[in-house]
Amino acid sequence: MATLFGFDHRVVAIPTLAVSVGIAAYTTYRLYSERSQRKKQNVYESTKLLSEYLIFHYGLPNEVLKYDFGPKSALDFPKRCAELCLKHYKPQAGVPARGLDIGCAVGRSTFELARIFDEVIGLDYSQSFVDACDELKREGLINYSIVDEGELTTDLTARVDKSINRSRASFIQGDACCLPADLGQFGVVLAANLICRLHHPFDFLWRLADIVAPGGILVITSPYTWLSEYTEKKNMMGGYYDKDGQAVTGFMTLMKVLGPCFDLVVDENMPFFIRETAHKNQWTVAHATVWKRKNP
Ligand SMILES: C[S@@+](CC[C@H](N)C(=O)[O-])C[C@H]1O[C@@H](n2cnc3c(N)ncnc32)[C@H](O)[C@@H]1O
Ligand SMILES: *[C@@H]1O[C@H](CO)[C@@H](O)[C@H](O)[C@H]1NC(C)=O
Ligand SMILES: *[C@@H]1O[C@H](CO)[C@@H](O)[C@H](O)[C@H]1NC(C)=O
């Protein structure tokens, strides 16, 4: 299973060779118990991933970063992403007052966009994240527990700010590389830390001119951590030398693909902080680009 921005720790099953009937029976037993252990491990891994995202999105500053030193400016990343969108969005005739948060994970940015828009859609590939979003929408909170060290955990509650009208947000499971045809157009589209997770990032980028309304705002953030476990080499957006030996960066590819239909408004570096355990944390700096859809 994937960690937030780390490497995958896959559980490897080692097939046991059967050389006699007795050993074959033992092997069957072993494979069976390895499989059920693996299943347990997966459930554990996905619960762990869900709680890492819940604290990343909804953790209070003293829950996420309990030291009096450390990168405080890296907290509340999903909220800052929504704020960046809203800073550049100008309500005007012809620009739909709707938001779309693609790769929404557990939905913090989606809810933050609902402070302004009466309709915001959060879309994610992971059904368990979409289920968590629906529970947050329904209940306003989710109880979860975070790992402190090893088996030691702390119980926490993720809460959507009471001043947000949660019924304005809705969540769907879907694939960013093959977005539903009937989404319509949006005044704001956010894709935070999504592009380097996609199997076909170009299929995603090509669709954007369609779903961002003319005059609307698109925000893409990415730490440009191109990894072959998510994207096959031939589909990569950047992080390689082309056939002429020229370096291709993710930002260059964004400008090339989005340039014809979007104006680049601003780009900036946005730090974020991920708590894995009480003592192991990741500090990453995403590159954020803000685009305005041109009038056709
Ligand atoms: C690194 S997380 C970022 C989540 C969130 N936007 C944030 O900034 O915290 C990437 C998210 O994209 C989702 N994702 C990965 N591939 C996807 C795809 N093909 N379509 C939609 N979502 C996808 C993952 O499930 C995960 O929630
Ligand atoms: C919340 O939003 C829904 C959908 O837009 C609306 O019908 C409802 O009146 C709003 N509730 C409040 C308290 O503003
Ligand atoms: C969440 O946990 C609190 C205790 O911290 C408990 O009172 C509450 O009933 C729990 N809520 C749900 C929905 O499980």
Side-chain angles (χ1 to χ4, degrees):
M1 283 303 288
T3 57
L4 287 179
F5 273 95
F7 291 102
D8 280 4
H9 302 285
R10 287 181 211 279
V11 182
V12 180
I14 302 158
T16 312
L17 280 179
V19 291
S20 76
V21 176
I23 292 176
Y26 172 71
T27 305
T28 308
Y29 164 76
R30 230 182 100 176
L31 281 178
Y32 175 78
S33 68
E34 272 173 9
R35 201 169 298 147
S36 64
Q37 247 174 330
R38 196 156 65 229
K39 207 166 159 190
K40 243 182 254 161
Q41 189 90 18
N42 279 340
V43 170
Y44 167 76
E45 283 291 341
S46 58
T47 310
K48 180 168 171 283
L49 193 66
L50 179 61
S51 66
E52 281 182 17
Y53 272 100
L54 284 168
I55 191 166
F56 180 48
H57 281 211
Y58 298 98
L60 303 176
N62 65 324
E63 294 169 347
V64 184
L65 180 54
K66 58 178 188 157
Y67 308 104
D68 54 11
F69 54 88
K72 304 256 189 251
S73 61
L75 300 179
D76 273 328
F77 175 78
K79 182 171 195 265
R80 286 182 285 121
C81 286
E83 285 166 356
L84 183 62
C85 296
L86 297 172
K87 179 178 168 190
H88 294 281
Y89 165 77
K90 300 275 175 290
Q92 56 185 286
V95 182
R98 307 172 71 212
L100 175 64
D101 178 11
I102 310 179
C104 64
V106 292
R108 174 76 189 273
S109 307
T110 313
F111 286 119
E112 291 295 329
L113 289 171
R115 287 182 190 276
I116 299 298
F117 296 126
D118 339 309
E119 190 194 350
V120 188
I121 299 173
L123 178 145
D124 202 277
Y125 198 67
S126 157
Q127 186 63 54
S128 69
F129 287 169
V130 172
D131 291 345
C133 290
D134 282 334
E135 188 174 338
L136 282 160
K137 173 179 171 162
R138 210 171 49 240
E139 312 292 339
L141 58 84
I142 288 188
N143 287 340
Y144 66 108
S145 67
I146 50 164
V147 173
D148 293 322
E149 60 177 274
E151 294 176 349
L152 312 180
T153 57
T154 297
D155 292 336
L156 294 178
T157 302
R159 284 193 172 80
V160 181
D161 191 310
K162 284 214 159 58
S163 62
I164 294 171
N165 182 342
R166 303 192 304 273
S167 64
R168 294 169 151 200
S170 58
F171 297 94
I172 52 176
Q173 190 281 331
D175 186 349
C177 307
C178 181
L179 288 168
D182 56 359
L183 275 177
Q185 289 197 314
F186 297 85
V188 159
V189 172
L190 169 66
N193 297 350
L194 172 72
I195 53 175
C196 53
R197 291 303 179 82
L198 296 177
H199 49 97
H200 288 89
F202 285 92
D203 289 346
F204 167 68
L205 295 178
W206 290 328
R207 185 69 200 285
L208 290 170
D210 223 28
I211 57 175
V212 183
I217 293 295
L218 165 69
V219 171
I220 294 180
T221 77
S222 177
Y224 301 145
T225 52
W226 314 115
L227 293 169
S228 56
E229 63 221 77
Y230 297 112
T231 319
E232 272 185 66
K233 189 110 206 235
K234 66 175 166 52
N235 297 324
M236 291 250 180
M237 285 180 57
Y240 61 89
Y241 294 98
D242 70 10
K243 58 183 184 334
D244 305 317
Q246 296 299 306
V248 178
T249 67
F251 188 30
M252 285 163 63
T253 301
L254 286 175
M255 288 194 289
K256 198 159 138 186
V257 176
L258 299 177
C261 295
F262 292 87
D263 291 316
L264 179 65
V265 179
V266 74
D267 74 297
E268 60 188 67
N269 290 313
M270 283 178 73
F272 63 90
F273 182 87
I274 285 170
R275 181 204 183 279
E276 277 183 51
T277 72
H279 292 274
K280 181 166 182 269
N281 306 287
Q282 286 183 48
W283 179 80
T284 311
V285 181
H287 184 226
T289 51
V290 180
W291 307 83
K292 188 173 182 180
R293 177 79 169 89
K294 294 178 186 172
N295 283 307

